[in-house]
Amino acid sequence: MKYLMLIYGNEELWNSLTPGDLAKLIDEVDAFNNALRESGELLGAEGLIPRPRSVRVVQSGAVVTDGPYLEAKEFVGSYFVVYVDDEQRALDIARSYPGLRYGGGLEVWPLMDHGWATVEA
């Protein structure tokens, strides 16, 4: 099954990291991604560039506004998608994400399987 991992961060917290701590975290995340890639479980990972646009329908039609969408200090900063045997493995991966030590969060979302494409694991 495929799972989307949405990685949340706090801009104030991220900006407070020393250059050394930030470099260490980046190295740890790269190692984390490489281990998942080597196991065949990582389907993709990308960082997101702030700030997103929100498109919503109102009475006059579709309206585009600047994000973020929520009133919160946290924002979605990146994501990765894994293909694993079960939810427990997805949760184990999520718990081991290095950025969690720096106050971020991670949501685990099962992805629908429409059968349009198959993934060999």
Side-chain angles (χ1 to χ4, degrees):
M1 180 152 196
K2 290 187 228 175
Y3 289 87
L4 170 68
M5 310 285 189
L6 287 177
I7 302 165
Y8 287 83
N10 179 308
E11 207 163 12
E12 186 177 308
L13 183 71
W14 285 100
N15 291 335
S16 72
L17 293 177
T18 66
D21 286 342
L22 182 59
K24 180 181 176 189
L25 174 59
I26 290 169
D27 288 345
E28 290 173 352
V29 170
D30 286 346
F32 174 87
N33 288 341
N34 286 335
L36 288 175
R37 194 173 288 112
E38 288 173 10
S39 74
E41 295 172 305
L42 183 66
L43 298 181
E46 297 290 338
L48 302 175
I49 299 172
R51 288 288 183 208
R53 302 279 193 189
S54 174
V55 180
R56 297 191 186 265
V57 175
V58 296
Q59 289 180 349
S60 61
V63 175
V64 178
T65 60
D66 289 336
Y69 317 115
L70 304 173
E71 293 291 326
K73 290 184 179 181
E74 291 184 337
F75 62 94
V76 178
S78 59
Y79 73 91
F80 62 99
V81 177
V82 295
Y83 184 75
V84 294
D85 289 333
D86 55 38
E87 182 182 46
Q88 187 57 51
R89 175 63 182 142
L91 294 173
D92 289 344
I93 290 169
R95 284 186 196 98
S96 68
Y97 181 71
L100 294 178
R101 292 191 322 271
Y102 294 89
L106 197 149
E107 289 182 4
V108 179
W109 289 75
L111 295 176
M112 290 182 191
D113 180 6
H114 295 286
W116 298 328
T118 58
V119 176
E120 298 296 323

